[in-house]
Amino acid sequence: MKKFIALLTFTAVLCSFASCGNDIAEEISEESSVTSVTEEVTEEETTEETTESETEDTTESDEKLSAEGSYEEAIEMLLDYMNNNNAKGMISLIFPDKYYSVIELMAELEGVSLDIIAEDMYDTSKESLHLAEIISEEPITDEYLAIINEMYGGFQAVSDYIEQNGSENMDYDKFAEVMTGIDDVSDIKPYFEISDGYIVNCMFESENGNGEKDTYEQELIMYYIDGEGWKTDLSMMGYVKKSKQTSINSNAKTIYIASASSFVDFDEQGDELPETCIISSDKSKNYNVSDDFIGKFEETIELYFSDYKDFDYFMVVKDGMPVYTSVILPENPQYIGTYPANKIYSADGEYIEKDENVTYDDIYNICLEQIK
């Protein structure tokens, strides 16, 4: 498992190079090529020391990544590259081909080489990884496709600049100015279109240097680009998680604002407000509040946020005003939104940091104990 975690870190590092706003400080080499997956495999494998058997392996690899290849074969090839610390091979199977030059350029601008990055990520792990089983697959959704397009907007911006100006004798100050001047990379569309894609849940087997084995599940996003083959997207898993967390936190804030506005209305109307209570979409979670008030609250909050019924939520009320909310979508409960974001209410005013392993019910029980 350590090796796969290392690959996730490795991918995150490469993605950070192509984000807008990086410092431009180092010179790049004169060559910055854009190659297809099969060309990259050939370049990596065919050297002066290449033996006849190695040449045969290269041909076999090319066939695996042809248009007729399967995503399972692409996963196995990626694992082979990981086990051999082949940075160029891994990049060719993770990122769209045209962005190889972007990654190479941005890494070298930072004064490092891709091979050094790979060595740094893997020298602490002697694990070998193998694909044990495909547990499940489901077609990639429009939501994921939209996120892929948004994520690669920054890559496309750099790629466009390279095409227009070349990578040799670059004006780094101008390049940095152009990159930092881009307000929203989501408006920039990547060069490729995805013709097929799946969210694949895999069972991997790892074996360390002592022969000890372990298995674990890992979700991969596989998508196919005509003329390039299957890509194994690792960078988007963290991107999607962050995006979903940001979204549900935003929903928690919206419900908080709608609730606070409702309480202001009640106060202006002279209604009696509960001093300290919990109000929840789940009636069993209501605490220290009357059914009559709950009924009036639900009528009023709908005027401010009609979609509040789509969520499971609870809010903490203190001194007659909401001070904290937590929400989940019933169909996606692993993402828990809070306002304030990523916090848990504490009666002393010092909010508790929300641990990623805490559940919605855990948060409710902590809040309940705090106000009793």
Side-chain angles (χ1 to χ4, degrees):
M1 188 171 182
K2 291 180 181 179
K3 180 152 283 194
F4 212 100
I5 292 172
L7 180 60
L8 294 176
T9 307
F10 171 72
T11 308
V13 169
L14 297 184
C15 284
S16 71
F17 289 150
S19 64
C20 295
N22 281 328
D23 292 333
I24 308 300
E26 301 291 336
E27 292 185 357
I28 65 171
S29 62
E30 293 184 356
E31 294 184 358
S32 181
S33 60
V34 180
T35 58
S36 67
V37 170
T38 54
E39 288 170 341
E40 192 58 61
V41 172
T42 303
E43 177 184 346
E44 181 66 22
E45 300 289 342
T46 307
T47 63
E48 291 181 0
E49 293 81 16
T50 301
T51 64
E52 182 178 349
S53 60
E54 288 173 331
T55 303
E56 291 174 357
D57 291 341
T58 302
T59 303
E60 181 181 353
S61 297
D62 289 351
E63 292 175 353
K64 284 185 176 182
L65 292 178
S66 67
E68 291 75 29
S70 68
Y71 70 69
E72 183 174 353
E73 291 170 329
I75 293 173
E76 290 174 340
M77 184 168 231
L78 176 63
L79 295 178
D80 183 62
Y81 283 144
M82 291 170 61
N83 292 332
N84 290 285
N85 293 357
N86 185 329
K88 290 184 178 181
M90 287 186 288
I91 292 169
S92 71
L93 294 181
I94 294 173
F95 293 94
D97 293 350
K98 196 172 180 179
Y99 298 147
Y100 184 88
S101 60
V102 173
I103 295 167
E104 188 175 54
L105 170 65
M106 300 309 292
E108 290 181 353
L109 286 173
E110 294 289 331
V112 297
S113 74
L114 300 180
D115 289 335
I116 290 176
I117 295 175
E119 289 172 7
D120 288 344
M121 295 300 169
Y122 286 90
D123 63 3
T124 59
S125 174
K126 301 301 181 183
E127 288 180 333
S128 62
L129 284 173
H130 304 281
L131 178 63
E133 178 186 1
I134 299 293
I135 299 172
S136 64
E137 68 170 45
E138 59 182 275
I140 197 169
T141 63
D142 290 341
E143 178 187 20
Y144 276 77
L145 291 174
I147 293 175
I148 287 176
N149 287 334
E150 179 179 345
M151 182 182 68
Y152 280 121
F155 284 79
Q156 189 63 44
V158 180
S159 179
D160 289 344
Y161 188 90
I162 293 173
E163 284 191 356
Q164 294 168 11
N165 300 276
S167 60
E168 297 181 4
N169 302 317
M170 287 183 63
D171 184 332
Y172 301 122
D173 291 336
K174 184 177 180 180
F175 172 70
E177 182 180 348
V178 170
M179 292 301 104
T180 56
I182 298 174
D183 294 327
D184 188 359
V185 295
S186 64
D187 292 334
I188 304 173
K189 303 304 179 186
Y191 72 92
F192 60 88
E193 291 187 5
I194 296 172
S195 58
D196 197 9
Y198 297 92
I199 301 171
V200 184
N201 192 23
C202 303
M203 179 68 73
F204 290 114
E205 180 182 81
S206 64
E207 182 176 355
N208 64 23
N210 297 322
E212 298 171 334
K213 296 182 179 180
D214 192 15
T215 58
Y216 61 96
E217 292 184 31
Q218 178 68 55
E219 185 179 81
L220 303 177
I221 298 169
M222 305 297 300
Y223 64 93
Y224 189 88
I225 301 176
D226 287 337
E228 298 188 15
W230 288 100
K231 303 295 180 180
T232 307
D233 196 293
L234 302 172
S235 55
M236 200 176 78
M237 290 189 292
Y239 192 92
V240 169
K241 183 177 180 179
K242 182 178 179 181
S243 176
K244 287 182 178 292
Q245 187 61 58
T246 299
S247 177
I248 198 67
N249 282 342
S250 177
N251 293 136
K253 182 177 181 180
T254 300
I255 290 179
Y256 167 81
I257 293 172
S259 302
S261 299
S262 299
F263 270 69
V264 170
D265 287 351
F266 298 150
D267 187 50
E268 291 177 348
Q269 295 166 11
D271 295 331
E272 184 176 353
L273 301 175
E275 279 294 310
T276 301
C277 71
I278 289 180
I279 297 174
S280 174
S281 56
D282 179 353
K283 304 299 184 184
S284 68
K285 284 183 165 62
N286 288 332
Y287 172 76
N288 201 33
V289 61
S290 69
D291 291 341
D292 288 341
F293 185 85
I294 291 295
K296 188 168 185 178
F297 170 78
E298 290 176 345
E299 290 178 2
T300 307
I301 191 176
E302 188 164 7
L303 300 175
Y304 290 101
F305 184 42
S306 60
D307 292 336
Y308 84 98
K309 292 180 180 178
D310 294 341
F311 302 89
D312 290 344
Y313 68 88
F314 75 84
M315 68 192 65
V316 177
V317 174
K318 182 179 180 182
D319 298 330
M321 283 295 291
V323 293
Y324 178 80
T325 56
S326 181
V327 308
I328 57 172
L329 282 166
E331 66 272 19
N332 209 3
Q334 68 267 38
Y335 295 99
I336 306 168
T338 66
Y339 184 79
N342 305 317
K343 303 289 185 180
I344 300 177
Y345 175 77
S346 175
D348 62 10
E350 296 292 332
Y351 285 90
I352 305 166
E353 290 293 329
K354 178 170 72 71
D355 185 270
E356 64 178 10
N357 296 318
V358 72
T359 68
Y360 175 75
D361 286 338
D362 290 339
I363 296 174
Y364 170 81
N365 289 329
I366 292 172
C367 292
L368 182 61
E369 288 299 317
Q370 289 292 316
I371 67 172
K372 279 186 173 181

